[in-house]
Amino acid sequence: MAATRDNVTLLFKLYCLAVMTLMAAAYTIALRYTRTSDKELYFSTTAVCITEVIKLLLSVGILAKETGSLGRFKASLRENVLGSPKELLKLSVPSLVYAVQNNMAFLALSNLDAAVYQVTYQLKIPCTALCTVLMLNRTLSKLQWVSVFMLCAGVTLVQWKPAQATKVVVEQNPLLGFGAIAIAVLCSGFAGVYFEKVLKSSDTSLWVRNIQMYLSGIIVTLVGVYLSDGAEIKEKGFFYGYTYYVWFVISLTFALGTLLVCVSIYLYGLPRQDTTSIQQGETASKERVIGV
C-alpha cells in the first residue's frame, strides 16, 4: 500500500511540476505581451490591486467553510481581524513588500525580454535561502549552498551574452528592468520568510492570516494606485486598457499562487502554522526544492 502511495505521489509530483512550469511560462509571456503591445496600456497598479481583492475573497470563502457556521465565522472575523489592529499592522509589512514586488514584476517585464526576466528572477531562490538562514536561524548543508551558488552562476552565464530581444513597439530601459528585478528578488525573499515567521509565532488559522494580510494589501495597493496613477485614472477610468489578455494575466497570478500552496500542503503534509499564504506557497515549495 505504501509503495502504491509513493508511486501515485511521484506521478502527481511530476504532473504538478509540468503544470506549474507551463503556468509560470504562460504568465511571464502573457504579462510581457500586455506591457509591450500597441494597444492602450493599462495601469499595472490597478491589476495588482485587483489580484489582492480576489485573494481576499477566496480566503474569506475558505475561512467560512473552515469555521463551519455563520456564527463562528463572524466571531472569528470579529476577534482576529476587526479586534486585532496590532496583527493587521504586523501583516502590513509583507503586504507592502509584496505590493512593491508585484509592481516591480510589471515594471521589469515592460523593459526586459520575457526569457531574460524569467531566468534572472530565479535569483529569488538563493535570496529566500539567505533570508531563511538570517531570519529563521536555519542552517544549510554544504551541498545546499553549492546548489545555491550554482544557480547564481547559471543566471550569470545566461546573461553573459543574452539573446536578441524581440522587437516591441514601446521604449525600453534594460537598466531599469534589471533594477526592478533586483528589488523584486529582495522583496520576494524577505516577505516570504517574514510571513512564515509570523505564522509560526502563533496557532492562528492560515486563512485568518491571509485575510489580515490581504486587507492590508488592498489598502497599500490602493494608496499606490492613487500616488502613481491617480490623476490618469480619474480621467480614463480604473479599468482603462483592460483586455482579455490582461484578465488572463490576473487569473494566472491568482491561480498559480493558489496551485503552489495547495501542492505544498498536499505533497509535504505541512501543518497549518508551517504553511504560508497563497503568495508564500511559492517560497515554501522552493524551500523544499533546495532542502531548506
Side-chain angles (χ1 to χ4, degrees):
M1 186 69 178
T4 303
R5 172 65 178 175
D6 290 340
N7 291 334
V8 172
T9 302
L10 177 60
L11 292 175
F12 185 72
K13 286 181 179 180
L14 293 175
Y15 169 76
C16 291
L17 178 61
V19 171
M20 288 188 291
T21 300
L22 289 174
M23 291 181 65
Y27 167 76
T28 301
I29 295 172
L31 179 53
R32 169 68 175 176
Y33 173 78
T34 62
R35 300 305 294 172
T36 56
S37 66
D38 56 353
K39 298 180 181 179
E40 297 174 336
L41 193 62
Y42 64 99
F43 302 108
S44 61
T45 52
T46 62
V48 174
C49 182
I50 291 171
T51 303
E52 293 296 301
V53 173
I54 294 174
K55 291 177 179 179
L56 174 64
L57 294 176
L58 174 71
S59 298
V60 169
I62 295 179
L63 179 63
K65 184 177 181 180
E66 185 180 76
T67 52
S69 70
L70 182 61
R72 286 196 293 268
F73 172 67
K74 289 181 178 180
S76 179
L77 289 181
R78 191 180 305 111
E79 177 184 355
N80 296 297
V81 179
L82 300 178
S84 302
K86 290 184 178 179
E87 295 300 314
L88 286 174
L89 183 61
K90 185 187 299 183
L91 269 298
S92 67
V93 175
S95 298
L96 175 61
V97 178
Y98 274 130
V100 172
Q101 174 196 338
N102 293 332
N103 280 286
M104 288 301 103
F106 279 90
L107 180 60
L109 279 167
S110 299
N111 292 277
L112 293 174
D113 189 68
V116 175
Y117 167 87
Q118 187 72 1
V119 172
T120 308
Y121 194 51
Q122 300 313 307
L123 287 173
K124 63 183 177 180
I125 299 177
C127 182
T128 300
L130 183 60
C131 289
T132 300
V133 171
L134 296 177
M135 298 173 61
L136 299 181
N137 297 320
R138 293 180 181 171
T139 58
L140 298 181
S141 67
K142 292 181 180 180
L143 180 59
Q144 290 167 342
W145 280 118
V146 169
S147 300
V148 168
F149 284 114
M150 285 181 65
L151 176 61
C152 295
V155 172
T156 302
L157 289 175
V158 170
Q159 297 302 324
W160 188 263
K161 189 177 180 181
Q164 182 67 32
T166 55
K167 293 183 178 180
V168 294
V169 297
V170 297
E171 184 178 353
Q172 297 183 112
N173 186 338
L175 185 60
L176 178 61
F178 280 115
I181 288 183
I183 296 174
V185 164
L186 293 174
C187 289
S188 176
F190 171 79
V193 176
Y194 177 94
F195 190 69
E196 181 177 354
K197 189 172 184 177
V198 171
L199 285 175
K200 291 184 175 181
S201 65
S202 68
D203 58 355
T204 304
S205 167
L206 163 66
W207 303 107
V208 168
R209 289 299 193 187
N210 279 337
I211 292 172
Q212 292 171 339
M213 186 170 70
Y214 295 141
L215 279 174
S216 301
I218 291 172
I219 296 173
V220 168
T221 52
L222 282 175
V223 171
V225 168
Y226 175 78
L227 295 178
S228 179
D229 305 304
E232 292 186 80
I233 290 176
K234 287 181 181 179
E235 178 184 349
K236 299 179 179 179
F238 191 87
F239 296 102
Y240 173 80
Y242 273 62
T243 64
Y244 291 115
Y245 289 106
V246 177
W247 286 110
F248 178 63
V249 168
I250 292 174
S251 65
L252 278 178
T253 305
F254 164 71
L256 183 60
T258 305
L259 176 61
L260 282 165
V261 73
C262 291
V263 169
S264 295
I265 296 172
Y266 181 85
L267 295 183
Y268 304 106
L270 301 176
R272 182 180 300 162
Q273 63 269 27
D274 289 335
T275 315
T276 55
S277 68
I278 290 177
Q279 292 165 306
Q280 171 60 10
E282 182 175 357
T283 303
S285 298
K286 290 179 177 177
E287 284 180 338
R288 268 80 189 171
V289 171
I290 62 175
V292 177

